[in-house]
PDB file of all heavy atoms in Angstrom:
ATOM      1  N   VAL A  35     275.836 -21.061 -34.732  1.00 45.00           N
ATOM      2  CA  VAL A  35     275.847 -20.325 -35.995  1.00 45.00           C
ATOM      3  C   VAL A  35     274.574 -19.509 -36.182  1.00 45.00           C
ATOM      4  O   VAL A  35     274.604 -18.318 -36.569  1.00 45.00           O
ATOM      5  CB  VAL A  35     276.039 -21.303 -37.170  1.00 45.00           C
ATOM      6  CG1 VAL A  35     275.902 -20.560 -38.497  1.00 45.00           C
ATOM      7  CG2 VAL A  35     277.365 -21.966 -37.049  1.00 45.00           C
ATOM      8  N   ILE A  38     274.369 -15.888 -34.631  1.00 61.00           N
ATOM      9  CA  ILE A  38     275.253 -14.780 -34.951  1.00 61.00           C
ATOM     10  C   ILE A  38     274.530 -13.833 -35.927  1.00 61.00           C
ATOM     11  O   ILE A  38     274.022 -14.263 -36.940  1.00 61.00           O
ATOM     12  CB  ILE A  38     276.554 -15.299 -35.589  1.00 61.00           C
ATOM     13  CG1 ILE A  38     277.300 -16.190 -34.615  1.00 61.00           C
ATOM     14  CG2 ILE A  38     277.455 -14.158 -36.020  1.00 61.00           C
ATOM     15  CD1 ILE A  38     278.540 -16.805 -35.179  1.00 61.00           C
ATOM     16  N   GLN A 107     276.472  -8.971 -44.361  1.00 69.00           N
ATOM     17  CA  GLN A 107     275.651 -10.103 -43.933  1.00 69.00           C
ATOM     18  C   GLN A 107     275.707 -11.222 -44.964  1.00 69.00           C
ATOM     19  O   GLN A 107     275.787 -12.404 -44.624  1.00 69.00           O
ATOM     20  CB  GLN A 107     274.206  -9.655 -43.703  1.00 69.00           C
ATOM     21  CG  GLN A 107     273.307 -10.732 -43.107  1.00 69.00           C
ATOM     22  CD  GLN A 107     273.748 -11.106 -41.694  1.00 69.00           C
ATOM     23  OE1 GLN A 107     273.704 -10.264 -40.798  1.00 69.00           O
ATOM     24  NE2 GLN A 107     274.166 -12.350 -41.507  1.00 69.00           N
ATOM     25  N   TYR A 109     278.189 -11.804 -47.015  1.00 64.00           N
ATOM     26  CA  TYR A 109     279.512 -12.440 -46.930  1.00 64.00           C
ATOM     27  C   TYR A 109     279.567 -13.412 -45.751  1.00 64.00           C
ATOM     28  O   TYR A 109     280.109 -14.508 -45.860  1.00 64.00           O
ATOM     29  CB  TYR A 109     280.566 -11.352 -46.758  1.00 64.00           C
ATOM     30  CG  TYR A 109     281.979 -11.897 -46.829  1.00 64.00           C
ATOM     31  CD1 TYR A 109     282.667 -11.929 -48.038  1.00 64.00           C
ATOM     32  CD2 TYR A 109     282.604 -12.392 -45.693  1.00 64.00           C
ATOM     33  CE1 TYR A 109     283.948 -12.452 -48.129  1.00 64.00           C
ATOM     34  CE2 TYR A 109     283.881 -12.909 -45.778  1.00 64.00           C
ATOM     35  CZ  TYR A 109     284.548 -12.933 -46.985  1.00 64.00           C
ATOM     36  OH  TYR A 109     285.805 -13.438 -47.056  1.00 64.00           O
ATOM     37  N   ILE A 110     278.978 -13.026 -44.638  1.00 69.00           N
ATOM     38  CA  ILE A 110     279.000 -13.917 -43.471  1.00 69.00           C
ATOM     39  C   ILE A 110     278.227 -15.197 -43.781  1.00 69.00           C
ATOM     40  O   ILE A 110     278.661 -16.316 -43.450  1.00 69.00           O
ATOM     41  CB  ILE A 110     278.412 -13.191 -42.252  1.00 69.00           C
ATOM     42  CG1 ILE A 110     279.386 -12.111 -41.768  1.00 69.00           C
ATOM     43  CG2 ILE A 110     278.128 -14.182 -41.132  1.00 69.00           C
ATOM     44  CD1 ILE A 110     278.858 -11.296 -40.623  1.00 69.00           C
ATOM     45  N   ASN A 111     277.065 -15.038 -44.404  1.00 72.00           N
ATOM     46  CA  ASN A 111     276.241 -16.220 -44.734  1.00 72.00           C
ATOM     47  C   ASN A 111     276.970 -17.161 -45.691  1.00 72.00           C
ATOM     48  O   ASN A 111     276.853 -18.405 -45.575  1.00 72.00           O
ATOM     49  CB  ASN A 111     274.897 -15.793 -45.345  1.00 72.00           C
ATOM     50  CG  ASN A 111     274.006 -15.080 -44.337  1.00 72.00           C
ATOM     51  OD1 ASN A 111     274.161 -15.262 -43.122  1.00 72.00           O
ATOM     52  ND2 ASN A 111     273.096 -14.248 -44.788  1.00 72.00           N
ATOM     53  N   ALA A 112     277.742 -16.590 -46.629  1.00 72.00           N
ATOM     54  CA  ALA A 112     278.379 -17.416 -47.641  1.00 72.00           C
ATOM     55  C   ALA A 112     279.728 -17.967 -47.187  1.00 72.00           C
ATOM     56  O   ALA A 112     280.168 -19.000 -47.697  1.00 72.00           O
ATOM     57  CB  ALA A 112     278.567 -16.594 -48.930  1.00 72.00           C
ATOM     58  N   ASN A 113     280.430 -17.301 -46.251  1.00 68.00           N
ATOM     59  CA  ASN A 113     281.804 -17.683 -45.931  1.00 68.00           C
ATOM     60  C   ASN A 113     281.998 -18.002 -44.433  1.00 68.00           C
ATOM     61  O   ASN A 113     282.531 -19.051 -44.083  1.00 68.00           O
ATOM     62  CB  ASN A 113     282.773 -16.564 -46.333  1.00 68.00           C
ATOM     63  CG  ASN A 113     282.801 -16.344 -47.817  1.00 68.00           C
ATOM     64  OD1 ASN A 113     283.457 -17.079 -48.543  1.00 68.00           O
ATOM     65  ND2 ASN A 113     282.058 -15.361 -48.293  1.00 68.00           N
ATOM     66  N   VAL A 114     281.582 -17.077 -43.550  1.00 64.00           N
ATOM     67  CA  VAL A 114     281.871 -17.269 -42.132  1.00 64.00           C
ATOM     68  C   VAL A 114     281.078 -18.429 -41.559  1.00 64.00           C
ATOM     69  O   VAL A 114     281.627 -19.325 -40.905  1.00 64.00           O
ATOM     70  CB  VAL A 114     281.548 -15.967 -41.356  1.00 64.00           C
ATOM     71  CG1 VAL A 114     281.834 -16.167 -39.877  1.00 64.00           C
ATOM     72  CG2 VAL A 114     282.396 -14.830 -41.926  1.00 64.00           C
ATOM     73  N   ILE A 115     279.750 -18.411 -41.792  1.00 71.00           N
ATOM     74  CA  ILE A 115     278.891 -19.440 -41.174  1.00 71.00           C
ATOM     75  C   ILE A 115     279.258 -20.861 -41.616  1.00 71.00           C
ATOM     76  O   ILE A 115     279.370 -21.763 -40.776  1.00 71.00           O
ATOM     77  CB  ILE A 115     277.410 -19.132 -41.444  1.00 71.00           C
ATOM     78  CG1 ILE A 115     277.009 -17.860 -40.657  1.00 71.00           C
ATOM     79  CG2 ILE A 115     276.513 -20.304 -41.062  1.00 71.00           C
ATOM     80  CD1 ILE A 115     275.583 -17.413 -40.883  1.00 71.00           C
ATOM     81  N   PRO A 116     279.485 -21.139 -42.927  1.00 76.00           N
ATOM     82  CA  PRO A 116     279.879 -22.501 -43.308  1.00 76.00           C
ATOM     83  C   PRO A 116     281.163 -22.973 -42.630  1.00 76.00           C
ATOM     84  O   PRO A 116     281.281 -24.131 -42.261  1.00 76.00           O
ATOM     85  CB  PRO A 116     280.044 -22.403 -44.826  1.00 76.00           C
ATOM     86  CG  PRO A 116     279.143 -21.281 -45.235  1.00 76.00           C
ATOM     87  CD  PRO A 116     279.261 -20.302 -44.116  1.00 76.00           C
ATOM     88  N   ARG A 117     282.124 -22.079 -42.451  1.00 71.00           N
ATOM     89  CA  ARG A 117     283.376 -22.487 -41.806  1.00 71.00           C
ATOM     90  C   ARG A 117     283.165 -22.788 -40.339  1.00 71.00           C
ATOM     91  O   ARG A 117     283.748 -23.708 -39.787  1.00 71.00           O
ATOM     92  CB  ARG A 117     284.417 -21.375 -41.982  1.00 71.00           C
ATOM     93  CG  ARG A 117     284.833 -21.159 -43.431  1.00 71.00           C
ATOM     94  CD  ARG A 117     285.907 -20.138 -43.586  1.00 71.00           C
ATOM     95  NE  ARG A 117     286.157 -19.822 -44.985  1.00 71.00           N
ATOM     96  CZ  ARG A 117     287.068 -18.961 -45.409  1.00 71.00           C
ATOM     97  NH1 ARG A 117     287.817 -18.324 -44.527  1.00 71.00           N
ATOM     98  NH2 ARG A 117     287.241 -18.724 -46.705  1.00 71.00           N
ATOM     99  N   ILE A 118     282.333 -21.977 -39.680  1.00 70.00           N
ATOM    100  CA  ILE A 118     282.059 -22.256 -38.267  1.00 70.00           C
ATOM    101  C   ILE A 118     281.296 -23.580 -38.125  1.00 70.00           C
ATOM    102  O   ILE A 118     281.539 -24.374 -37.218  1.00 70.00           O
ATOM    103  CB  ILE A 118     281.271 -21.092 -37.637  1.00 70.00           C
ATOM    104  CG1 ILE A 118     282.127 -19.817 -37.641  1.00 70.00           C
ATOM    105  CG2 ILE A 118     280.846 -21.436 -36.229  1.00 70.00           C
ATOM    106  CD1 ILE A 118     281.426 -18.617 -37.072  1.00 70.00           C
ATOM    107  N   GLU A 119     280.351 -23.845 -39.061  1.00 74.00           N
ATOM    108  CA  GLU A 119     279.623 -25.115 -39.025  1.00 74.00           C
ATOM    109  C   GLU A 119     280.587 -26.295 -39.185  1.00 74.00           C
ATOM    110  O   GLU A 119     280.482 -27.297 -38.498  1.00 74.00           O
ATOM    111  CB  GLU A 119     278.575 -25.135 -40.138  1.00 74.00           C
ATOM    112  CG  GLU A 119     277.374 -24.244 -39.870  1.00 74.00           C
ATOM    113  CD  GLU A 119     276.409 -24.224 -41.040  1.00 74.00           C
ATOM    114  OE1 GLU A 119     276.845 -24.481 -42.187  1.00 74.00           O
ATOM    115  OE2 GLU A 119     275.206 -23.992 -40.807  1.00 74.00           O
ATOM    116  N   ALA A 120     281.538 -26.161 -40.105  1.00 75.00           N
ATOM    117  CA  ALA A 120     282.531 -27.228 -40.301  1.00 75.00           C
ATOM    118  C   ALA A 120     283.363 -27.413 -39.049  1.00 75.00           C
ATOM    119  O   ALA A 120     283.666 -28.542 -38.647  1.00 75.00           O
ATOM    120  CB  ALA A 120     283.426 -26.905 -41.499  1.00 75.00           C
TER     121      ALA A 120
END
Side-chain angles (χ1 to χ4, degrees):
V35 174
I38 298 177
Q107 186 65 63
Y109 187 93
I110 289 177
N111 291 338
N113 296 278
V114 179
I115 291 178
R117 295 184 187 180
I118 296 178
E119 287 176 334

